[in-house]
């Protein structure tokens, strides 16, 4: 008798919910269904004649697979293998064994979800079986990637079954989520912190994961925060573009740094630089459009574009980790809306020379796309010379948008204040998005930022020098290639480090924290494929910790 086929993959959250309700501790009848559990040899789903699923919930592992739907002749499928994959790391395999009425969901021991979220299959990534399914024909080596429902309809047509097939992946009994969100990676920072639960040593952690100042804000900023907390206006909404004193201070700071004509009206204050990017991208582009990103990209940039249905197009770096203007020209088409450059780079720390930025501006103007420059780490460059000359262009307001952050510069990341500088047209559109997601940045953070920009100039300079000193020490430690780790570039807050050997980078990062108490971010968070790179946020540490870092890395091969 033929059996139906509809795959429903559920993660541990659904199983925990079932465990609480004890729904599977007794015999349960699921029409056209079977429940499977994870064992040492993989997940085995059998076709019981009575179509009754019976199991004890304690036997169920991280993954459950249910099979139900339309009729299909399994005897005519023995030569087909279906592998659900999210390159570069396969998450699971759905395999029809030749000559057997058995489907196996294999989870390779070394397989992890992308960016090492967990060794469980399907954590937040319902792309398995829903959007992309890779087909491997053993006899013809035919490879293709199709929508799941289209794929199975085609496969059924080729096997002689005429009935249409409706295939869907869902969380059983749970609300459904947008595929654009479900398919996103989890926050690499959150995933890194989740690894701390696996630590077994008692020594202090060296946290080089999230880029965050390890020191308190300037005393004058702390005093202003304390004073503002008691003021009635602090708890009110700010004017949507930002409080006037911060906009004036922001414009004056940038104008002085670039010897340029930047007015308060050119500014828009946001709840952090991430929000500045999100509002700008949502204003510039929509589903089906594309935006050009230089590799390695900042992971939140790539994530937001995907949420919005915007295609990211990547520029490969040269041996200096500089993007190519020529390649960017080739990547642009009628649906391209912007080119994004991050300088100094996150994760690379590389500062692009003004001449390169000028060349990108010329090309962007010629092709009619926006040039967006993320300058979060502008104050931590190796020079005080202007980072670029874009504000000298007569029509810069029609073409250029620069993004800024006060989090690192003033050591106030928790107060969530950033901003952008752009012409009126871009600001008006960005304000529409801002009104929907934050209305305005927190007043207390804006007050703190205005104070820092106007009254903590010397403190800011000292912290930038301190960070450059840490970079020098980090470079000296890494010059010895401790444990085989090779420093490729360093700058601002970051070291871009090549891991030794060919072990998958997420596994290297896991071992670093579990065995050596060093927390980092894998390069797979910043690149579409695994390049064996790791981001070290050295600016998080103090000098003696950087020395200790070298000692711990040396122990890698021992």
């Amino acid at each position: 008798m033929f059996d139906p086929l509809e795959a429903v993959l559920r993660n541990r959250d659904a199983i925990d919910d079932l465990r609480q309700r004890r729904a599977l501790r007794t015999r349960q009848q699921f029409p056209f269904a079977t429940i499977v559990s994870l064992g040492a040899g993989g997940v085995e789903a059998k076709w019981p004649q009575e179509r009754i699923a019976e199991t004890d919930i304690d036997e169920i592992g991280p993954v459950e697979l249910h099979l139900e739907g339309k009729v299909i002749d399994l005897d005519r499928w023995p030569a087909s293998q279906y592998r659900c994959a999210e390159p570069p790391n396969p998450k699971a395999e759905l395999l029809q064994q030749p000559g057997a009425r058995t489907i196996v969901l294999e989870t390779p021991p070394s397989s992890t979800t992308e960016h090492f979220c967990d060794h469980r299959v399907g954590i937040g990534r319902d792309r398995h079986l829903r959007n992309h399914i890779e087909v491997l024909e053993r006899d013809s080596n035919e490879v293709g990637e199709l929508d799941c429902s289209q794929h199975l309809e085609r496969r059924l047509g080729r096997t002689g079954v005429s009935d249409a097939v409706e295939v869907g992946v869902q969380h059983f009994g749970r609300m459904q989520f947008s595929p654009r969100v479900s398919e996103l990676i989890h926050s690499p920072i959150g995933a890194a912190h989740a690894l701390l639960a696996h630590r077994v040593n008692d020594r202090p952690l060296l946290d080089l994961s999230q880029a965050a100042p390890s020191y308190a804000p300037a005393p004058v900023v702390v005093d202003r925060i304390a004073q503002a907390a008691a003021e009635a206006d602090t708890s009110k909404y700010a004017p949507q573009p930002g409080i006037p004193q911060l906009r004036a201070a922001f414009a004056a700071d940038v104008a002085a740094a670039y010897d340029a004509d930047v007015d308060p009206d050119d500014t828009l204050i946001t709840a952090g630089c991430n929000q500045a990017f999100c509002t700008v991208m949502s204003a510039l582009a929509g589903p089906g459009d594309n935006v050009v990103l230089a590799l390695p990209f900042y992971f939140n940039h790539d994530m937001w574009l995907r949420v919005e249905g915007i295609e990211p197009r990547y520029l490969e770096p040269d041996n200096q980790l500089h993007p190519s203007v020529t390649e960017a020209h080739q990547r642009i088409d009628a649906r391209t809306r912007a080119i994004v450059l991050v300088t100094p780079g996150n994760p690379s720390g590389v500062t692009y020379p003004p001449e390169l930025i000028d060349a990108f501006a010329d090309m962007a103007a010629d092709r009619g796309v926006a040039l967006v420059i993320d300058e979060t780490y502008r104050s931590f460059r190796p020079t005080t010379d202007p980072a670029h000359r874009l504000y000298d262009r007569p029509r810069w307001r029609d073409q250029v948008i620069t993004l800024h952050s006060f989090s690192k510069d003033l050591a106030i990341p928790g107060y969530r204040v950033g901003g952008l500088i752009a012409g009126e047209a871009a600001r008006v559109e960005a304000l529409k998005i801002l009104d929907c997601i934050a209305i305005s940045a927190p007043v207390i953070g804006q007050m703190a930022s205005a104070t820092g920009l106007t009254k903590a100039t010397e403190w800011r300079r000292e912290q930038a020098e301190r960070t450059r000193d840490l970079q020098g020490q980090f470079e000296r430690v890494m010059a010895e290639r401790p444990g085989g780790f090779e420093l490729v570039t360093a700058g601002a807050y970051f070291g871009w480090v090549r891991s030794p050997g060919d072990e998958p980078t997420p596994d290297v990062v896991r071992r670093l924290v579990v065995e050596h108490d060093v927390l980092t971010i894998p390069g797979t968070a910043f690149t579409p494929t695994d390049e064996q790179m790791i981001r070290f946020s050295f600016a998080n540490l103090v000098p003696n910790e950087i020395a200790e870092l070298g000692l711990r890395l040396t122990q890698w091969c021992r």
Side-chain angles (χ1 to χ4, degrees):
M1 180 176 181
F2 301 145
D3 288 293
L5 180 65
E6 179 179 357
V8 178
L9 185 64
R10 298 186 292 168
N11 65 23
R12 187 182 291 272
D13 292 340
I15 296 174
D16 289 342
D17 181 64
L18 290 173
R19 177 178 285 111
Q20 293 172 8
R21 294 188 286 112
R22 302 169 65 87
L24 296 178
R25 284 204 176 275
T26 58
R27 291 176 64 90
Q28 304 288 321
Q29 180 167 348
F30 293 86
F32 309 106
T34 186
I35 299 174
V36 298
S37 60
L38 181 64
V43 180
E44 191 174 61
K46 297 182 178 179
W47 263 282
Q49 293 296 323
E50 64 273 21
R51 295 176 178 174
I52 298 295
E54 180 182 23
T55 186
D56 188 290
I57 189 65
D58 292 334
E59 297 175 358
I60 295 180
V63 175
E64 286 188 311
L65 180 68
H66 285 224
L67 303 173
E68 51 185 80
K70 296 288 183 178
V71 172
I72 186 167
D73 185 356
L74 297 176
D75 292 335
R76 304 182 69 171
W77 272 22
S80 299
Q81 173 176 299
Y82 295 82
R83 186 177 70 187
C84 305
E86 172 69 11
N89 294 325
K91 304 303 187 299
E93 291 188 353
L94 184 60
L95 174 64
Q96 169 61 31
Q97 301 285 13
R101 286 179 170 275
T102 303
I103 282 186
V104 178
L105 182 65
E106 294 182 330
T107 336
S110 61
S111 174
T112 61
T113 57
E114 190 170 345
H115 306 317
F116 61 90
C117 291
D118 205 308
H119 279 288
R120 293 170 288 179
V121 176
I123 303 301
R125 306 283 302 195
D126 285 346
R127 197 170 262 185
H128 324 322
L129 300 172
R130 175 164 46 193
N131 287 320
H132 296 285
I133 190 162
E134 188 178 57
V135 186
L136 298 179
E137 295 282 0
R138 291 182 186 145
D139 49 0
S140 66
N141 293 322
E142 175 186 357
V143 178
E145 190 170 81
L146 307 170
D147 175 80
C148 187
S149 59
Q150 293 176 342
H151 162 66
L152 285 177
E153 287 178 14
R154 295 186 190 183
R155 290 295 301 153
L156 287 173
R158 291 169 64 181
T159 55
V161 180
S162 59
D163 291 341
V165 177
E166 296 179 1
V167 177
V169 174
Q170 60 187 15
H171 291 286
F172 182 75
R174 296 168 68 90
M175 67 183 71
Q176 301 299 293
F177 299 97
S178 164
R180 291 180 188 165
V181 177
S182 297
E183 292 166 13
L184 284 180
I185 63 169
H186 284 273
S187 164
I189 303 300
H193 289 170
L195 293 176
L196 298 178
H198 301 284
R199 294 179 64 206
V200 295
N201 301 321
D202 294 329
R203 60 183 171 181
L205 176 72
L206 297 181
D207 187 355
L208 296 93
S209 59
Q210 189 169 23
S214 59
Y215 45 85
V220 66
V221 173
V222 174
D223 291 343
R224 181 65 184 108
I225 290 171
Q227 179 187 21
E231 296 175 1
D233 287 345
T234 304
S235 58
K236 298 178 180 178
Y237 287 120
Q240 195 182 13
I243 62 175
Q245 54 267 46
L246 176 55
R247 297 183 73 194
F250 181 23
D253 185 71
V254 172
Y258 289 92
D259 190 21
D261 178 21
V262 178
D263 300 323
D265 286 343
D266 295 321
T267 68
L268 173 61
I269 305 304
T270 58
C273 190
N274 258 1
Q275 189 176 89
F277 177 85
C278 294
T279 57
V280 164
M281 288 300 113
S282 294
L284 287 173
D289 294 332
N290 65 78
V291 168
V292 178
L293 302 181
L295 292 178
F297 53 69
Y298 173 49
F299 55 77
N300 281 147
H301 290 178
D302 189 74
M303 291 174 70
W304 185 256
L305 294 180
R306 294 180 182 278
V307 164
E308 294 291 271
I310 303 167
E311 176 194 358
R313 294 188 173 181
Y314 306 126
L315 300 179
E316 293 291 338
D318 63 16
N319 57 8
Q320 295 180 292
L321 291 191
H322 292 170
S324 166
V325 176
T326 301
E327 184 186 3
H329 185 79
Q330 296 168 347
R331 293 283 186 182
I332 293 174
D333 62 18
R335 300 300 298 270
T336 304
R337 297 292 178 260
I339 301 169
V340 178
L341 302 178
V342 182
T343 178
N346 177 3
S348 68
V350 170
T351 296
Y352 298 151
E355 296 77 15
L356 179 62
I357 297 174
D358 276 342
F360 268 98
D362 290 339
M363 189 268 296
D366 181 62
R367 299 298 299 272
V369 301
L371 178 63
V372 180
I373 310 289
D374 186 330
E375 300 192 75
T376 294
Y377 298 94
R378 170 173 61 90
S379 297
F380 302 96
R381 295 176 299 118
T383 177
T384 57
D385 293 339
H388 54 74
R389 297 181 287 268
L390 299 181
Y391 301 124
D392 294 338
R393 293 172 172 251
R395 298 187 59 186
W396 71 264
R397 291 175 176 85
D398 297 329
Q399 175 204 356
V400 174
I401 301 173
T402 59
L403 312 179
H404 303 262
S405 171
F406 307 120
S407 297
K408 313 302 188 295
D409 202 12
L410 300 175
I412 54 170
Y415 287 92
R416 307 310 305 136
V417 189
L420 61 90
I421 294 176
E424 181 180 11
R427 286 184 286 105
V428 167
E429 300 306 311
L431 275 169
K432 298 175 185 178
I433 308 300
L434 184 63
D435 191 53
C436 296
I437 58 178
I439 301 178
S440 60
V443 172
I444 194 167
Q446 295 195 52
M447 291 179 173
S449 299
T451 299
L453 291 176
T454 56
K455 297 182 179 181
T457 303
E458 182 61 21
W459 181 90
R460 293 166 62 198
R461 185 188 63 79
E462 292 173 355
Q463 299 311 316
E465 289 182 356
R466 169 190 173 278
T467 302
R468 284 192 287 272
D469 290 343
L470 286 175
Q471 178 183 335
Q473 183 181 0
F474 177 72
E475 290 174 337
R476 290 190 292 273
V477 166
M478 296 303 296
E480 302 297 325
R481 299 187 64 170
F485 290 88
E486 176 191 0
L487 179 63
V488 176
T489 61
Y493 263 56
F494 308 112
W496 192 228
V497 178
R498 180 173 289 110
S499 64
D502 56 2
E503 185 176 359
T505 306
D507 293 345
V508 174
V509 167
R510 178 182 288 270
R511 285 183 56 200
L512 276 174
V513 67
V514 172
E515 300 174 14
H516 304 279
D517 304 291
V518 174
L519 187 62
T520 59
I521 302 294
T524 48
F526 309 93
T527 57
T529 58
D530 191 344
E531 306 295 335
Q532 269 68 53
M533 301 299 295
I534 303 173
R535 190 188 78 173
F536 284 63
S537 298
F538 63 78
N540 294 9
L541 306 183
V542 295
N544 66 301
E545 290 177 323
I546 290 182
E548 174 66 16
L549 172 66
L551 295 177
R552 295 189 187 182
L553 293 180
T554 301
Q555 299 169 358
W556 175 260
C557 297
R558 294 181 180 178

